[in-house]
Amino acid sequence: MDALEKLNQQINRELTCIDDLTDVIKLHVKAGRINIAKQLERDLHNSLDQLEKHYRRKKLWSTADGLNLQGKKAKVVKKHAHQG
C-alpha cells in the first residue's frame, strides 16, 4: 500500500469518526446530557484537527506526484509530507 492510499484510509476513518461523534453528541444534547456532549465535542474537535492534517499531507503528496509526472524531482516535498 502506498502512502496516498494510507492517507485516504486515514481520512475515511476520521470522516466516519466525525459522523459518529456528531450523531452521538446530538443524542446526548436531546437527552439533556450536556456535560457528556461537551466532552464528546472535544473529541470531535480533535478528529477535525486530525482530518485537516491528513488533507494537508494528501495535498503535499499530490503536489509531489504531479511534479514527478512532469519529470521534476520532488524529494523535498515527499520528505516534508512524511514529517507532517
Short mmCIF file of all heavy atoms in Angstrom, two decimals, residues 1-11 54 57-63 65:
data_model
loop_
_atom_site.label_atom_id
_atom_site.label_comp_id
_atom_site.label_asym_id
_atom_site.label_seq_id
_atom_site.Cartn_x
_atom_site.Cartn_y
_atom_site.Cartn_z
N MET A 1 0.86 -1.18 0.00
CA MET A 1 0.00 0.00 0.00
C MET A 1 0.90 1.24 0.00
O MET A 1 1.82 1.35 0.79
CB MET A 1 -0.87 -0.03 1.26
CG MET A 1 -1.69 1.20 1.44
SD MET A 1 -2.68 1.32 2.95
CE MET A 1 -3.11 -0.33 3.34
N ASP A 2 0.59 2.15 -0.89
CA ASP A 2 1.42 3.36 -0.95
C ASP A 2 0.91 4.41 0.04
O ASP A 2 -0.14 4.26 0.67
CB ASP A 2 1.50 3.91 -2.38
CG ASP A 2 0.20 4.50 -2.88
OD1 ASP A 2 -0.81 4.48 -2.17
OD2 ASP A 2 0.20 5.02 -4.02
N ALA A 3 1.68 5.45 0.19
CA ALA A 3 1.39 6.49 1.19
C ALA A 3 0.06 7.19 0.92
O ALA A 3 -0.68 7.51 1.85
CB ALA A 3 2.52 7.51 1.23
N LEU A 4 -0.26 7.40 -0.35
CA LEU A 4 -1.51 8.08 -0.68
C LEU A 4 -2.72 7.23 -0.32
O LEU A 4 -3.71 7.74 0.20
CB LEU A 4 -1.52 8.44 -2.16
CG LEU A 4 -2.41 9.59 -2.60
CD1 LEU A 4 -2.21 10.83 -1.74
CD2 LEU A 4 -2.18 9.92 -4.06
N GLU A 5 -2.62 5.93 -0.56
CA GLU A 5 -3.70 5.01 -0.16
C GLU A 5 -3.89 5.02 1.36
O GLU A 5 -5.02 5.03 1.84
CB GLU A 5 -3.39 3.59 -0.60
CG GLU A 5 -3.76 3.26 -2.01
CD GLU A 5 -3.46 1.81 -2.32
OE1 GLU A 5 -4.15 0.93 -1.77
OE2 GLU A 5 -2.53 1.56 -3.09
N LYS A 6 -2.77 5.01 2.06
CA LYS A 6 -2.83 5.03 3.52
C LYS A 6 -3.49 6.31 4.02
O LYS A 6 -4.32 6.28 4.93
CB LYS A 6 -1.43 4.88 4.10
CG LYS A 6 -1.38 4.74 5.59
CD LYS A 6 0.03 4.52 6.10
CE LYS A 6 0.04 4.43 7.60
NZ LYS A 6 1.38 4.30 8.14
N LEU A 7 -3.13 7.43 3.43
CA LEU A 7 -3.75 8.71 3.80
C LEU A 7 -5.25 8.70 3.52
O LEU A 7 -6.04 9.18 4.33
CB LEU A 7 -3.09 9.86 3.04
CG LEU A 7 -1.82 10.42 3.65
CD1 LEU A 7 -1.18 11.42 2.70
CD2 LEU A 7 -2.08 11.05 4.99
N ASN A 8 -5.64 8.15 2.38
CA ASN A 8 -7.06 8.07 2.06
C ASN A 8 -7.81 7.22 3.08
O ASN A 8 -8.93 7.56 3.47
CB ASN A 8 -7.28 7.53 0.64
CG ASN A 8 -6.98 8.55 -0.41
OD1 ASN A 8 -7.15 9.75 -0.20
ND2 ASN A 8 -6.53 8.10 -1.57
N GLN A 9 -7.20 6.13 3.53
CA GLN A 9 -7.82 5.30 4.56
C GLN A 9 -7.95 6.06 5.87
O GLN A 9 -8.97 5.99 6.55
CB GLN A 9 -7.03 4.01 4.78
CG GLN A 9 -7.20 3.01 3.67
CD GLN A 9 -6.43 1.73 3.95
OE1 GLN A 9 -5.60 1.66 4.85
NE2 GLN A 9 -6.70 0.71 3.15
N GLN A 10 -6.91 6.80 6.24
CA GLN A 10 -6.96 7.59 7.47
C GLN A 10 -8.03 8.67 7.38
O GLN A 10 -8.75 8.92 8.34
CB GLN A 10 -5.59 8.20 7.75
CG GLN A 10 -4.55 7.20 8.15
CD GLN A 10 -3.15 7.78 8.23
OE1 GLN A 10 -2.82 8.73 7.53
NE2 GLN A 10 -2.33 7.20 9.10
N ILE A 11 -8.14 9.30 6.22
CA ILE A 11 -9.17 10.31 6.01
C ILE A 11 -10.56 9.69 6.16
O ILE A 11 -11.43 10.24 6.84
CB ILE A 11 -9.00 10.99 4.64
CG1 ILE A 11 -7.78 11.93 4.67
CG2 ILE A 11 -10.26 11.75 4.23
CD1 ILE A 11 -7.36 12.46 3.31
N HIS A 54 -4.43 15.36 7.77
CA HIS A 54 -4.42 14.35 6.72
C HIS A 54 -4.62 14.99 5.34
O HIS A 54 -3.94 14.62 4.38
CB HIS A 54 -5.50 13.30 6.95
CG HIS A 54 -5.29 12.44 8.16
ND1 HIS A 54 -4.06 11.97 8.57
CD2 HIS A 54 -6.17 11.94 9.05
CE1 HIS A 54 -4.19 11.25 9.65
NE2 HIS A 54 -5.47 11.21 9.98
N ARG A 57 -1.40 16.65 4.29
CA ARG A 57 -0.42 15.65 3.82
C ARG A 57 -0.79 15.15 2.44
O ARG A 57 0.08 14.98 1.58
CB ARG A 57 -0.36 14.49 4.81
CG ARG A 57 0.35 14.81 6.07
CD ARG A 57 0.50 13.57 6.95
NE ARG A 57 0.88 13.96 8.28
CZ ARG A 57 0.16 13.78 9.37
NH1 ARG A 57 -1.01 13.17 9.30
NH2 ARG A 57 0.58 14.17 10.54
N LYS A 58 -2.09 14.92 2.24
CA LYS A 58 -2.52 14.43 0.93
C LYS A 58 -2.21 15.45 -0.16
O LYS A 58 -1.78 15.09 -1.26
CB LYS A 58 -4.02 14.12 0.97
CG LYS A 58 -4.54 13.52 -0.32
CD LYS A 58 -5.99 13.13 -0.20
CE LYS A 58 -6.48 12.56 -1.53
NZ LYS A 58 -7.87 12.12 -1.44
N LYS A 59 -2.42 16.72 0.14
CA LYS A 59 -2.12 17.77 -0.84
C LYS A 59 -0.63 17.78 -1.17
O LYS A 59 -0.24 17.92 -2.33
CB LYS A 59 -2.56 19.13 -0.30
CG LYS A 59 -2.37 20.25 -1.28
CD LYS A 59 -2.88 21.57 -0.75
CE LYS A 59 -2.62 22.67 -1.76
NZ LYS A 59 -3.01 23.98 -1.27
N LEU A 60 0.21 17.62 -0.13
CA LEU A 60 1.66 17.57 -0.38
C LEU A 60 2.03 16.39 -1.27
O LEU A 60 2.83 16.51 -2.19
CB LEU A 60 2.42 17.49 0.94
CG LEU A 60 2.52 18.79 1.73
CD1 LEU A 60 3.14 18.52 3.11
CD2 LEU A 60 3.35 19.81 0.98
N TRP A 61 1.44 15.22 -0.98
CA TRP A 61 1.73 14.03 -1.79
C TRP A 61 1.25 14.24 -3.22
O TRP A 61 1.93 13.86 -4.17
CB TRP A 61 1.09 12.78 -1.19
CG TRP A 61 1.97 12.17 -0.16
CD1 TRP A 61 1.80 12.22 1.19
CD2 TRP A 61 3.17 11.43 -0.38
NE1 TRP A 61 2.83 11.57 1.83
CE2 TRP A 61 3.68 11.07 0.89
CE3 TRP A 61 3.87 11.06 -1.51
CZ2 TRP A 61 4.85 10.33 1.04
CZ3 TRP A 61 5.04 10.32 -1.35
CH2 TRP A 61 5.51 9.98 -0.09
N SER A 62 0.09 14.82 -3.40
CA SER A 62 -0.43 15.07 -4.74
C SER A 62 0.47 16.03 -5.49
O SER A 62 0.74 15.85 -6.69
CB SER A 62 -1.84 15.63 -4.67
OG SER A 62 -2.71 14.69 -4.10
N THR A 63 0.97 17.05 -4.80
CA THR A 63 1.90 18.00 -5.42
C THR A 63 3.18 17.30 -5.85
O THR A 63 3.66 17.49 -6.97
CB THR A 63 2.23 19.14 -4.44
OG1 THR A 63 1.02 19.82 -4.10
CG2 THR A 63 3.23 20.13 -5.05
N ASP A 65 3.57 14.10 -6.51
CA ASP A 65 3.29 13.20 -7.63
C ASP A 65 3.16 13.98 -8.93
O ASP A 65 3.64 13.54 -9.98
CB ASP A 65 2.01 12.39 -7.36
CG ASP A 65 2.21 11.31 -6.33
OD1 ASP A 65 3.38 10.94 -6.05
OD2 ASP A 65 1.20 10.82 -5.78
#
